[in-house]
């Protein structure tokens, strides 16, 4: 009996040994035409064995890249997509930058940063001042909703100065609007609290009346 540990190591175990053996057989075919034909059949088989790849972008291109890896970078055919070089496959992905919004500012979202950059680019005037005010009001609403508490205007102004790196003039803004979302939620919570209190008082009165009637009997 031959164990898998005694067989050659699979280049991509997720495709299984059958596909690996087909690739090795394809490499040994004598003519390029035969190899091209068999490579196309292997690509179709790989797609059938791994249907989840179809949900990815350019999945056919990825299958051809995988075929080249399965062949250990040694397959003389005319591929539909150019094979990557060993250097390209060995290249590490670029390091991702951390998002700029961290800590106290993460709940503002990327759209606020984009609006701030847009406001910085605008020439001084009414349009720029209006956009700055819109940004500040939206920041206040986001703060109130995320933290579930009211925030003073000076806190928003301080955050906006930090996010814009002091490149925006906030002196023309006198005050910000109250967050309709926050105050609507607060009012609704207060109304629900009062309703529950009234129900509890009503139930308590009913309970006391029932006890009094039973005692009288």
């Amino acid at each position: 009996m031959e164990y898998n540990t005694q067989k050659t190591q699979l280049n991509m175990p997720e495709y299984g040994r059958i596909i690996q053996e087909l690739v090795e057989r394809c490499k040994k075919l004598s003519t390029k035409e035969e190899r091209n034909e068999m490579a196309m059949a292997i690509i179709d088989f790989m797609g059938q064995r791994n249907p989840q790849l179809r949900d990815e972008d350019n999945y056919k291109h990825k299958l051809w890249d995988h075929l080249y890896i399965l062949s250990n970078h040694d397959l003389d055919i005319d591929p539909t997509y150019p094979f990557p070089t060993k250097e390209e496959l060995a290249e590490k992905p670029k390091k991702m930058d951390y998002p700029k919004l961290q800590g106290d500012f993460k709940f503002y979202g990327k759209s606020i940063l984009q609006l701030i950059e847009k406001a910085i680019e605008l020439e001084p005037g009414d349009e720029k001042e209006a956009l700055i005010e819109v940004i500040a009001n939206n920041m206040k609403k986001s703060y109130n909703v995320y933290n579930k508490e009211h925030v003073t205007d000076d806190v928003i102004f301080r955050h906006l100065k930090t996010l814009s790196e002091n490149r925006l003039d906030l002196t023309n803004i006198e005050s910000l609007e109250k967050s309709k979302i926050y105050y609507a939620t607060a009012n609704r919570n207060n109304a629900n609290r009062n309703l529950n209190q009234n129900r509890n008082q009503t139930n308590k009165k009913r309970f006391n009346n029932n006890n009094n009637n039973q005692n009288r009997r």
Side-chain angles (χ1 to χ4, degrees):
M1 180 181 292
E2 186 180 10
Y3 295 95
N4 285 336
T5 54
Q6 298 172 319
K7 297 178 181 179
T8 57
Q9 186 175 358
L10 297 176
N11 294 331
M12 297 189 71
E14 58 268 33
Y15 284 106
R17 190 165 296 279
I18 293 177
I19 291 180
Q20 181 71 59
E21 291 176 351
L22 289 174
V23 174
E24 294 300 325
R25 188 178 303 175
C26 180
K27 292 167 59 176
K28 295 177 181 178
L29 293 177
S30 57
T31 66
K32 180 176 284 190
E33 289 73 15
E34 292 176 320
R35 293 193 295 272
N36 286 337
E37 185 176 353
M38 188 169 183
M40 291 293 296
I42 293 173
I43 289 292
D44 291 338
F45 189 31
M46 290 168 63
Q48 293 173 10
R49 292 288 298 271
N50 295 272
Q52 72 278 3
L53 290 176
R54 298 177 183 177
D55 298 331
E56 301 181 16
D57 295 334
N58 301 322
Y59 88 98
K60 278 284 189 181
H61 195 166
K62 292 181 180 180
L63 288 178
W64 282 99
D65 289 349
H66 292 172
L67 176 63
Y68 192 50
I69 296 172
L70 288 168
S71 70
N72 200 22
H73 315 286
D74 180 24
L75 185 58
D76 183 17
I77 60 172
D78 298 320
T80 303
Y81 300 93
F83 285 144
T85 63
K86 290 184 179 181
E87 291 74 18
E88 290 174 340
L89 292 173
E91 185 179 355
K92 294 182 179 180
K94 295 181 180 179
K95 186 177 180 180
M96 294 183 64
D97 295 329
Y98 284 100
K100 293 182 179 179
L101 291 173
Q102 294 290 328
D104 296 336
F105 303 138
K106 61 183 178 182
F107 50 83
Y108 289 132
K110 292 183 179 180
S111 58
I112 288 294
L113 285 180
Q114 294 171 350
L115 288 173
I116 289 174
E117 292 300 322
K118 178 64 177 177
I120 293 172
E121 294 173 0
L122 290 176
E123 295 294 330
D126 294 340
E127 184 180 0
K128 183 167 186 171
E129 292 179 5
L131 180 55
I132 294 173
E133 190 168 352
V134 167
I135 293 170
N137 278 303
N138 277 281
M139 289 175 61
K140 187 172 185 178
K141 292 175 183 178
S142 298
Y143 187 103
N144 289 337
V145 172
Y146 182 84
N147 295 284
K148 295 182 174 59
E149 62 180 14
H150 182 60
V151 61
T152 57
D153 293 352
D154 62 302
V155 173
I156 298 299
F157 293 150
R158 187 169 67 250
H159 289 179
L160 184 51
K161 285 181 179 179
T162 301
L163 292 173
S164 66
E165 298 176 349
N166 291 322
R167 290 178 291 174
L168 292 179
D169 182 13
L170 311 179
T171 56
N172 293 325
I173 304 178
E174 296 180 359
S175 63
L176 300 176
E177 297 176 357
K178 293 181 178 179
S179 172
K180 296 179 181 179
I181 298 176
Y182 169 75
Y183 282 98
T185 303
N187 292 334
R188 184 165 59 252
N189 291 338
N190 290 334
N192 290 335
R193 193 180 301 110
N194 293 333
L195 180 61
N196 291 332
Q197 290 176 352
N198 292 334
R199 286 177 178 173
N200 291 335
Q201 291 176 356
T202 301
N203 292 334
K204 187 175 181 180
K205 288 180 180 178
R206 289 177 180 174
F207 178 78
N208 292 333
N209 290 336
N210 291 334
N211 285 341
N212 290 335
N213 290 334
Q214 290 178 358
N215 293 333
R216 289 175 182 174
R217 292 176 185 175

